[in-house]
Amino acid sequence: MGMNKNTILGWAAFIMVLMGLLLIGLGAFRYRDVSGWGFAAVGIGFLANAWVFSSLKGRV
């Protein structure tokens, strides 16, 4: 059983959501200075990219 393009996009979106939440958590709890804002901003970017991948499922 191979993975088709929708399965790959689904897994990519899932991994990006996990990484986005991890980066936001690092920015909020681990780094409380200016670098925390950068971690949180990159985490929000990961969530936005995961949203795009999720919306592409079935259309590519």
Side-chain angles (χ1 to χ4, degrees):
M1 178 176 169
M3 290 176 37
N4 60 8
K5 59 189 170 191
N6 290 328
T7 307
I8 292 171
L9 282 173
W11 276 107
F14 177 70
I15 291 169
M16 289 187 82
V17 164
L18 287 179
M19 284 301 298
L21 292 175
L22 176 78
L23 286 169
I24 290 172
L26 276 174
F29 298 113
R30 176 71 171 98
Y31 300 104
R32 295 188 181 261
D33 52 349
V34 177
S35 62
W37 289 99
F39 274 98
V42 172
I44 291 171
F46 266 85
L47 292 179
N49 283 336
W51 179 44
V52 169
F53 279 1
S54 177
S55 67
L56 283 176
K57 286 189 339 187
R59 296 195 169 134
V60 176

